[in-house]
Amino acid sequence: MTDNDGTSDADDATQTRSATLQPIRPPCERISCHKSSVCSRSYFVVVMVFFHVYIINVIALLFYVHFNSGQEDASRSRDAPSGGHPRHESGPPSSKAESLRHVSLARIEGIRVGHVQKVSLVPGKAHEMRTLSLKPLLFEIPDFLSEDECRVVMQLAQLKGLMESQLMVQDGQEELAKELNLSPEEIFNLLDISQDGQLQLHEILTHSRVRDGIWLTPETLREIYAGLKVDKDDDGLLSLEEFRLLSNDAFQRFLMQKGVKRSQLVRNSRHTWLYQGKGAHQVLQDIRERVIRLIRLPATLVDLSEPLQVVRYEEGGHYHAHHDSGPVYPETVCTHTRLAANTSTPFETSCRYITVLFYLNSVEGGGETAFPVADNRTYDEMALIQNDVDLLDTRRNCNKSNLRVKPTKGTAVFWYNYLSDGRGWVGEQDEYALHGGCVVTHGTKWVANKWINIDPDYQRQVQYQQLVSQQLEDEDEDDDLTLNQDEQGSDIHQDL
């Protein structure tokens, strides 16, 4: 105890003297800190070595992945068809449809009626495009074609030869009726839009125009009723019993006996088709390129659409109001994709997403393109024929249309026949796209139509494009084989 006390006193004296020099720290703390700093430094060096090795490996891996993906992209671009469009690989139909879903169809905004926007269609020149209506989305481009281009197109059409756009009495309707196997009651119910148990004049008129291609007025229809003695009570309405007497055969026989004039047809004109692809006249190819720039859609869609239609209307010529395309239901199929659809349905419709109409000359009198319900607040098919005023009749009532476009040489108008589906593809039919050609009162009218065909069904459109692409590849292979044989024969001939 004494020794310990003495030692403690000495230490206290020493600590007192050194207190003025530095802070007092416990010995154990000093020892532990010294040992910890040595261990931390070694641990830090090891960790940093491993960290740098890890970073280097990650960077090397990134370079490897980047290099391989670049090689795959390059090989994919070499395998892709020209024009920048990806080649559709063979696979299940669902994958084909998905491959097209990312393709968004460009759709030009109308902004407002009268809005003018600049468009670049040819190098070194800017065209003005004016919005004519929003329902349908309709535009006008003056000077789209030059005078020389208009002249060449008309000459090419005359050189090829024009045919009647519509026959006096169409055949094939009876076969369709038999194929559908519809009874008179079923046909009556289909025509009875109002479902009031009686057929009104405009319901019969609509049916007869679609069925026979003959444009009947309420007056001539009443005359047919009287001639066939079907309207027993003479009230202008047909009951089911009266409708049974109005058979297609009796209807046709009466028209043939009475005689059908060209002015009574839905369409009175002559037309032909001009190919615009490789090897076609340069003017036709230039028009094709201009259309592609105008509508801003892939060239493939334009090339797989219909050829250029050239139409001539003589004095008295007309085309009553109609839609270029029809609504697409599960029971129908687009005409241009029917092969791909592989279906036996008897119902076909023209799926013309866009109509581009060119005026090849200025008409002396009449010949306007009429849009009866353009920018109407509502569309009501029943209201198109009221009080014997038929808005579809372009011979009588063109002046009652909401919009009329005067034919001017070189001017082009184009509109969308379908709405957008909200996802960048074709939606429902735009009923406001109803249009017709007013009767030509003086001179001759020349126009050309370019339709862009697109199927609202993604999968059918993809299958159609693949089918055509495969056919073209097969033809190219046959051409290459023939070419190689010719070359071999040529070489042999030279050797001889």
Side-chain angles (χ1 to χ4, degrees):
M1 293 291 295
T2 306
D3 294 339
N4 290 339
D5 292 339
T7 304
S8 176
D9 292 338
D11 291 339
D12 290 343
T14 303
Q15 291 176 2
T16 303
R17 287 192 300 269
S18 63
T20 58
L21 299 177
Q22 60 182 6
I24 300 174
R25 289 183 296 182
C28 61
E29 183 179 347
R30 290 197 299 271
I31 294 173
S32 63
C33 289
H34 178 72
K35 291 181 180 180
S36 174
S37 63
V38 174
C39 294
S40 299
R41 189 177 300 110
S42 302
Y43 178 76
F44 175 78
V45 171
V46 172
V47 169
M48 289 304 297
V49 169
F50 278 102
F51 177 76
H52 281 79
V53 171
Y54 174 78
I55 292 297
I56 293 173
N57 288 336
V58 170
I59 294 175
L61 180 62
L62 290 176
F63 273 109
Y64 176 80
V65 171
H66 176 73
F67 176 79
N68 280 353
S69 64
Q71 291 282 49
E72 291 175 1
D73 290 340
S75 62
R76 194 178 299 119
S77 63
R78 287 194 299 268
D79 295 337
S82 60
H85 303 292
R87 175 176 298 181
H88 300 291
E89 301 294 338
S90 59
S94 58
S95 64
K96 298 174 186 176
E98 289 299 330
S99 68
L100 193 59
R101 283 184 183 273
H102 69 88
V103 177
S104 181
L105 301 177
R107 192 175 178 93
I108 301 174
E109 294 296 331
I111 312 299
R112 64 181 181 279
V113 175
H115 176 73
V116 177
Q117 49 188 308
K118 300 287 187 179
V119 290
S120 178
L121 304 178
V122 294
K125 181 180 180 180
H127 286 79
E128 290 187 348
M129 182 170 65
R130 180 171 176 263
T131 303
L132 296 184
S133 77
L134 299 177
K135 297 189 307 183
L137 199 51
L138 170 65
F139 304 91
E140 179 185 51
I141 307 98
D143 301 321
F144 188 93
L145 301 178
S146 67
E147 287 193 16
D148 287 341
E149 288 174 328
C150 292
R151 175 181 52 79
V152 168
V153 172
M154 289 188 290
Q155 289 176 342
L156 290 174
Q158 289 175 315
L159 183 63
K160 184 174 181 180
L162 290 88
M163 66 186 75
E164 294 290 345
S165 299
Q166 183 180 324
L167 300 176
M168 297 296 283
V169 178
Q170 296 180 347
D171 298 324
Q173 301 299 331
E174 285 298 319
E175 288 74 8
L176 179 58
K178 291 178 181 178
E179 184 177 354
L180 295 176
N181 195 25
L182 296 177
S183 65
E185 292 81 1
E186 290 173 319
I187 298 177
F188 184 89
N189 290 328
L190 287 173
L191 298 178
D192 188 12
I193 302 175
S194 59
Q195 293 296 302
D196 60 356
Q198 291 182 317
L199 295 183
Q200 304 173 31
L201 284 173
H202 70 272
E203 292 172 330
I204 293 291
L205 286 174
T206 303
H207 169 65
S208 67
R209 292 166 182 173
V210 173
R211 182 190 64 183
D212 301 311
I214 299 173
W215 193 265
L216 300 177
T217 63
E219 295 83 6
T220 54
L221 188 54
R222 292 190 186 97
E223 184 181 347
I224 293 174
Y225 285 180
L228 296 178
K229 299 178 181 180
V230 295
D231 188 8
K232 300 298 185 181
D233 49 11
D234 197 25
D235 61 353
L237 303 175
L238 294 185
S239 63
L240 176 58
E241 290 71 21
E242 293 171 331
F243 177 73
R244 292 177 187 275
L245 303 175
L246 191 64
S247 66
N248 190 58
D249 290 339
F251 195 86
Q252 291 278 12
R253 282 198 305 269
F254 181 86
L255 290 174
M256 294 299 293
Q257 292 172 2
K258 186 177 181 294
V260 179
K261 301 178 181 178
R262 298 213 61 84
S263 59
Q264 291 179 289
L265 298 178
V266 171
R267 182 177 189 178
N268 180 13
S269 63
R270 298 176 66 86
H271 76 276
T272 192
W273 301 89
L274 298 179
Y275 172 72
Q276 291 184 277
K278 185 178 180 180
H281 193 283
Q282 188 60 47
V283 167
L284 298 178
Q285 295 193 51
D286 291 344
I287 294 174
R288 167 192 169 275
E289 293 293 333
R290 217 167 299 162
V291 167
I292 293 173
R293 293 192 186 98
L294 173 66
I295 63 177
R296 305 170 191 176
L297 293 182
T300 304
L301 292 176
V302 177
D303 293 338
L304 294 181
S305 299
E306 297 167 78
L308 185 72
Q309 185 194 48
V310 183
V311 188
R312 184 181 69 195
Y313 296 89
E314 301 292 345
E315 190 167 311
H318 66 278
Y319 195 172
H320 289 303
H322 60 283
H323 289 98
D324 281 348
S325 286
V328 180
Y329 302 115
E331 300 81 11
T332 63
V333 64
C334 295
T335 302
H336 75 286
T337 58
R338 174 152 190 170
L339 275 178
N342 190 24
T343 178
S344 59
T345 175
F347 297 107
E348 293 183 27
T349 186
S350 296
C351 297
R352 293 164 170 169
Y353 180 60
I354 293 178
T355 296
V356 186
L357 172 65
F358 313 100
Y359 296 112
L360 302 178
N361 74 322
S362 299
V363 184
E364 297 177 31
E368 301 93 342
T369 304
F371 294 82
V373 294
D375 283 326
N376 238 27
R377 291 186 178 181
T378 58
Y379 179 86
D380 184 5
E381 186 177 3
M382 298 288 290
L384 294 174
I385 306 175
Q386 285 188 349
N387 302 323
D388 289 350
V389 175
D390 188 355
L391 293 178
L392 303 176
D393 193 330
T394 57
R395 292 183 62 87
R396 291 183 172 187
N397 302 312
C398 253
N399 60 337
K400 294 182 175 62
S401 295
N402 287 356
L403 174 65
R404 286 179 295 165
V405 182
K406 183 178 178 59
T408 304
K409 180 188 292 187
T411 295
V413 292
F414 85 96
W415 63 89
Y416 295 90
N417 294 302
Y418 291 91
L419 303 172
S420 172
D421 68 347
R423 298 173 296 172
W425 198 252
V426 182
E428 295 181 354
Q429 179 195 30
D430 190 345
E431 296 176 321
Y432 293 89
L434 184 72
H435 66 284
C438 300
V439 61
V440 177
T441 57
H442 297 289
T444 303
K445 172 185 174 183
W446 283 86
V447 297
N449 296 296
K450 181 62 181 178
W451 287 295
I452 311 303
N453 303 107
I454 304 177
D455 198 316
D457 186 280
Y458 296 98
Q459 184 173 329
R460 271 207 304 259
Q461 183 68 31
V462 172
Q463 290 174 337
Y464 166 68
Q465 291 185 204
Q466 286 184 326
L467 180 63
V468 175
S469 176
Q470 184 61 46
Q471 290 176 345
L472 293 177
E473 289 178 1
D474 293 342
E475 291 176 2
D476 290 341
E477 290 178 1
D478 293 340
D479 292 343
D480 292 340
L481 179 61
T482 304
L483 180 60
N484 291 335
Q485 291 175 346
D486 291 344
E487 289 177 349
Q488 292 173 1
S490 175
D491 293 340
I492 294 173
H493 180 72
Q494 290 176 359
D495 293 337
L496 292 176

